[in-house]
Amino acid sequence: MTDLNKLNESIISGDLNTSVQITKEALAEKTDPQEIIQKYMITAMDVIGGKFERNEVFVPELLMAARAMKGSLELLRPLLAASGIEPQGRVIIGTVKGDLHDIGKNLVASMLEGSGFEVDNMGVDVPSDKIVAAVQSKEIDIVALSALLTTTMPSMRDVIEALKEAGVRDKVKVIIGGPAVTQEFCDQIDADGYSENANGAVSLARKLLAS
Amino acid sequence: MRTTGIQELLKSRSLLFCDGAWGTIFQFAGLKPGESCELWNRDQRKKVLEVAQSYVDLGVDMIETNSFRGNGITLAGIGLENDAVELNRLAAEISREAAGDKCLVLGSVGPTGKILMMGDVSENEMYDTFAEQVHALEQGGADAICIETMSALDEAELAVKAAVENTDLEVVCTFTFVKTMSGDYKTVMGITPAQMAEKLLSAGASIIGTNCGYGMEAMIPIVKAFRDFDSNIPLLVQANAGIPKIEDGKTVFPETPDEMAGHVPDLIDAGVSIIGGCCGTTPDHITAIMNKAKVYHTANS
Ligand code: B12
Ligand SMILES: [Zn+2]
């Protein structure tokens, strides 16, 4: 029997080769993909996310872990789809218009993906109308917006206003983040929630979809 | 008389002064979010020259250039990669025009925004991009290259090497550090001041330091960390005017000129060699800093 705890460890340490190899072995032994994800992968992302939050690891370690997790997830995803298992939720994420910072947003995207969400990463400098169009044309549960500049934070309000104008605001939950974002700002622009880090983004997304 | 360089100046004076922010001043002057500052070197030359002149007029020892995001990789993000050489040359020409022989011109080089380990760009591409930029800055009349706001060691090392190997200029390099939960300072990539200093000095930088960040006071422990590592190396500090907040829809940098200047004595005691400003600072901030430093110096000599 493959020791799946090693999968958990390899994701935490960012070892892509090992995580892919163990995933293959586990699949050859007909382990339930759902179990692999829930028990060994999501917990790994929780651990590394917590370490990042406490400054025990930094951006490179988090990126490596996300890459190892993605490598395994790519093997599992077709099996999940084939057995009709739904993702935890469907998310579109982007950095708002005028803002080119993407490191934090990509970390949030990876953490959500690693935690079982289906994530469409729309990149940086994303205009409101693109987001509205995506919400109108696809089944989406969560719109996640990132802004690092105080000068682009108002663009998050613009997105929410545009969603309202298009009559689709209630179709989705809007979550926001970035170093200068506060709960107060979140309330002011009528977003559904904010979080200070990638780990918190996952629990926020789960909480909003459960309610 | 045009002086030979920063290290030369530091032989006769223990403290030098540098300019403050450019980008945030452009924002107040109408630069829209997402609009390229560097394009202003061609389209709004007068406005850029005005900012440069406003700092030269204070009597600082050196000013920077409007080229922070002027590397080809970053410019490619907005379709301007073919304009990199021209925009950087213009940036240096504008600062040179304002500075004349009165002060030195530091060609500003910021990060590309790419992380090497992600594999989006190769080390060679990154090196070539920096080489192109520093060469154009030298052509435009820069006296030194200032590689700033870096957080990744590999990227900064490539930039320093590109400057050392492709120009005859002095090379300055500053990192942006954040306070960790344990209270010490590291970059978002996890690099300490000592790790940074060691790597970049051996890559050929002759002046190192820190910029941006959390305001003036937070720079003091960072300077001490550098000094614990090396007691002689020239250290440049350019602090933000605090962490920006939004008030009534406008970006506000909270630290006043007097507040920033208030920390100058401690910064001098910690061992800083050159003081300037980053995001949110204005000529008023630099004036207050210079005055405070002079008063402190006179009182202590
Ligand atoms: C790297 C960096 C850059 C790089 C960006 C590279 C890239 N590919 O992203 C470059 C050099 C391009 C850059 C450019 C600029 N930058 Co910059 N940059 C930074 C820096 C140093 C680090 C940002 C970072 O990646 N942090 C690491 C990540 C992991 O953290 P994070 O982004 O905060 O994300 C976390 C949380 O916020 C949260 N989160 C983020 N998004 C979301 C979304 C959701 C939905 C949720 C729930 C959570 C969440 O989770 C993340 C993970 O835990 C910061 C300073 C700093 N130390 O923060 C300045 C900083 C953000 N930049 C700043 C500035 C001013 C600029 C420029 C305007 C500079 C200039 N004069 O040209 C330009 C603007 C370009 C533009 N139009 O966007 C200022 C912003 C100040 C302000 N006015 O608000 C900062 C704060 C520096 C400072 N102290 O003043 N920058
Ligand atoms: Zn700054």
Side-chain angles (χ1 to χ4, degrees):
Chain A
M1 270 293 283
T2 311
D3 180 5
L4 279 165
N5 288 318
K6 289 235 166 66
L7 173 62
N8 182 275
E9 286 162 23
S10 64
I11 290 176
I12 293 172
S13 64
D15 181 350
L16 171 66
N17 289 339
T18 309
S19 75
V20 165
Q21 196 203 324
I22 297 177
T23 309
K24 281 185 183 156
E25 284 170 17
L27 286 177
E29 289 165 6
K30 302 257 176 311
T31 317
D32 176 12
Q34 188 73 335
E35 186 188 325
I36 302 178
I37 295 178
Q38 296 290 346
K39 263 189 156 154
Y40 301 99
M41 293 173 57
I42 293 183
T43 50
M45 292 313 280
D46 282 345
V47 170
I48 193 79
K51 283 180 185 234
F52 180 75
E53 214 172 293
R54 296 187 299 273
N55 308 126
E56 289 164 22
V57 300
F58 293 85
V59 170
E61 290 84 357
L62 201 51
L63 288 171
M64 301 268 276
R67 187 154 65 178
M69 182 275 303
K70 250 187 183 160
S72 294
L73 205 59
E74 265 155 31
L75 296 171
L76 299 170
R77 207 176 274 139
L79 299 172
L80 290 181
S83 58
I85 291 167
E86 291 282 311
Q88 290 222 4
R90 291 178 181 81
V91 181
I92 55 170
I93 185 166
T95 305
V96 293
K97 177 123 196 67
D99 201 320
L100 304 171
H101 294 85
D102 71 353
I103 299 169
K105 181 243 335 157
N106 287 348
L107 288 177
V108 172
S110 301
M111 285 294 289
L112 285 168
E113 219 168 10
S115 309
F117 288 82
E118 189 180 294
V119 179
D120 179 2
N121 191 333
M122 303 182 75
V124 296
D125 193 19
V126 184
S128 318
D129 50 350
K130 254 186 145 175
I131 293 170
V132 171
V135 172
Q136 283 170 330
S137 65
K138 287 185 276 192
E139 201 180 309
I140 287 164
D141 305 303
I142 293 177
V143 173
L145 304 174
S146 182
L148 267 83
L149 300 169
T150 46
T151 48
T152 55
M153 282 167 62
S155 301
M156 301 207 274
R157 183 200 303 266
D158 297 344
V159 172
I160 292 173
E161 293 305 316
L163 288 170
K164 283 183 185 162
E165 216 156 282
V168 290
R169 174 67 186 89
D170 296 336
K171 257 188 76 184
V172 291
K173 301 284 182 195
V174 179
I175 65 174
I176 60 172
V181 172
T182 58
Q183 186 60 51
E184 192 191 347
F185 180 78
C186 176
D187 296 339
Q188 269 172 22
I189 69 166
D190 197 20
D192 295 300
Y194 105 101
S195 143
E196 275 179 14
N197 54 55
N199 219 19
V202 175
S203 28
L204 175 64
R206 285 190 188 133
K207 195 183 82 194
L208 286 173
L209 292 189
S211 64
Chain B
M1 251 300 290
R2 182 139 152 212
T3 44
T4 37
I6 303 168
Q7 291 168 94
E8 197 59 38
L9 280 180
L10 281 169
K11 282 184 188 157
S12 53
R13 288 167 50 206
S14 60
L15 189 64
L16 303 178
F17 301 100
C18 181
D19 57 0
W22 293 52
T24 42
I25 292 188
F26 293 148
Q27 281 169 14
F28 298 129
L31 183 81
K32 288 184 216 50
E35 196 186 338
S36 162
C37 290
E38 285 69 25
L39 217 44
W40 277 28
N41 294 331
R42 192 164 63 201
D43 301 343
Q44 305 266 5
R45 185 188 172 97
K46 250 191 77 188
K47 284 191 185 162
V48 180
L49 187 63
E50 259 171 42
V51 174
Q53 195 67 54
S54 70
Y55 286 117
V56 174
D57 291 347
L58 305 179
V60 295
D61 302 288
M62 60 199 89
I63 62 166
E64 295 208 36
T65 58
N66 179 34
S67 55
F68 176 68
R69 284 190 292 140
N71 69 78
I73 292 175
T74 305
L75 287 178
I78 43 174
L80 289 175
E81 63 273 27
N82 296 324
D83 300 29
V85 170
E86 185 198 357
L87 294 177
N88 282 289
R89 188 178 39 77
L90 287 173
E93 282 175 12
I94 293 170
S95 289
R96 182 83 271 155
E97 183 179 333
D101 286 347
K102 289 204 274 294
C103 71
L104 298 169
V105 170
L106 271 49
S108 168
V109 173
T112 59
K114 300 286 178 196
I115 300 178
L116 276 170
M117 60 167 280
M118 296 308 282
D120 302 340
V121 297
S122 69
E123 288 197 8
N124 284 340
E125 284 171 274
M126 206 177 252
Y127 177 92
D128 291 347
T129 301
F130 286 130
E132 170 187 72
Q133 186 180 16
V134 294
H135 187 252
L137 288 166
E138 183 175 39
Q139 296 268 296
D143 301 298
I145 295 296
C146 184
I147 296 155
E148 51 185 356
T149 329
M150 288 281 170
S151 49
L153 211 43
D154 47 7
E155 179 176 15
E157 189 184 16
L158 284 176
V160 169
K161 285 193 169 148
V164 170
E165 290 162 9
N166 296 280
T167 71
D168 293 322
L169 308 179
E170 282 178 301
V171 180
V172 186
C173 185
T174 58
F175 271 37
T176 302
F177 296 96
V178 299
K179 190 175 187 170
T180 65
M181 274 191 161
S182 57
D184 49 4
Y185 284 81
K186 290 186 177 170
T187 73
V188 292
M189 306 304 273
I191 309 299
T192 65
Q195 286 169 325
M196 173 226 170
E198 181 171 20
K199 185 69 132 208
L200 299 181
L201 292 173
S202 66
S206 44
I207 294 139
I208 56 170
T210 181
N211 75 327
C212 226
Y214 297 90
M216 200 64 140
E217 193 173 5
M219 293 309 203
I220 297 161
I222 301 173
V223 168
K224 286 182 178 156
F226 276 124
R227 280 291 169 238
D228 284 343
F229 175 80
D230 187 319
S231 51
N232 289 315
I233 180 81
L235 281 183
L236 167 64
V237 169
Q238 293 169 300
N240 277 4
I243 304 168
K245 292 182 293 204
I246 295 194
E247 273 168 24
D248 300 327
K250 284 208 193 80
T251 299
V252 181
F253 285 87
E255 281 182 28
T256 62
D258 285 344
E259 280 166 353
M260 280 192 89
H263 300 293
V264 163
D266 286 340
L267 202 61
I268 295 175
D269 290 345
V272 69
S273 322
I274 310 165
I275 309 180
C278 199
C279 308
T281 57
T282 62
D284 289 344
H285 288 85
I286 302 300
T287 303
I289 288 169
M290 289 171 74
N291 288 341
K292 188 77 178 187
K294 277 169 197 160
V295 170
Y296 185 69
H297 193 74
T298 320
N300 285 274
S301 59

